Amino acid sequence: AASAAASHKPAKAGNPAKIDEYIAKVSSYRAGGDGKNCLKILLLYVKNVANNPDEEKFRTIKMDNKVYKSKVKPFLGAKALLTAAGFVQTEDGTRMVLRDDADRDFLNVVKGKLEEAYNKY
């Protein structure tokens, strides 16, 4: 099924409840600290773009990169969280890119929620 995020509809306001749901899914992975490692990477992605919104390198996540493939991709809720935060997958499926109309205030909300979950893990 094609995701609604792939079509460039106007951005709707972010949904903090969805973010909480995705964080809870990721946090539920306890074996070997996998969930914590995933939260750490998600936090890094979101924090970098929230703190440096105009810096192109932080607006793109390479999905074929080793860190993404091993620490983000396997975990339910991780990609959904990035999508909810304002990232969209490119048509070729190799990258996630922050939408130009992504809500910067909401990125900061997501960053705060990820920091809290990471510290509580």
Side-chain angles (χ1 to χ4, degrees), residues 7-29:
S7 64
H8 289 286
K9 294 180 178 146
K12 58 187 183 297
N15 182 342
K18 279 285 180 208
I19 297 297
D20 290 338
E21 180 187 320
Y22 301 141
I23 287 175
K25 281 182 181 170
V26 172
S27 295
S28 71
Y29 291 95

Side-chain angles (χ1 to χ4, degrees), residues 21-82:
E21 180 187 320
Y22 301 141
I23 287 175
K25 281 182 181 170
V26 172
S27 295
S28 71
Y29 291 95
R30 291 293 185 187
D34 285 346
K36 186 167 193 166
N37 290 333
C38 182
L39 288 171
K40 181 179 178 181
I41 300 302
L42 292 173
L43 175 57
L44 193 67
Y45 289 151
V46 173
K47 185 162 70 171
N48 282 343
V49 79
N51 294 350
N52 310 282
D54 299 317
E55 209 155 324
E56 202 53 47
K57 70 178 178 184
F58 294 133
R59 298 176 63 88
T60 302
I61 297 167
K62 293 180 182 139
M63 297 172 71
D64 55 358
N65 136 331
K66 185 177 154 208
V67 170
Y68 181 88
K69 282 168 50 175
S70 64
K71 296 196 167 122
V72 177
K73 187 179 178 189
F75 304 104
L76 281 177
K79 184 177 173 197
L81 181 139
L82 292 170

Side-chain angles (χ1 to χ4, degrees), residues 4 6 13 18 57 60 78 83 86-87 96 101-102 105 113 116 118:
K18 279 285 180 208
K57 70 178 178 184
T60 302
T83 301
F87 286 89
M96 291 190 82
D101 61 357
D105 292 333
K113 288 178 175 292
E116 188 182 329
Y118 180 75

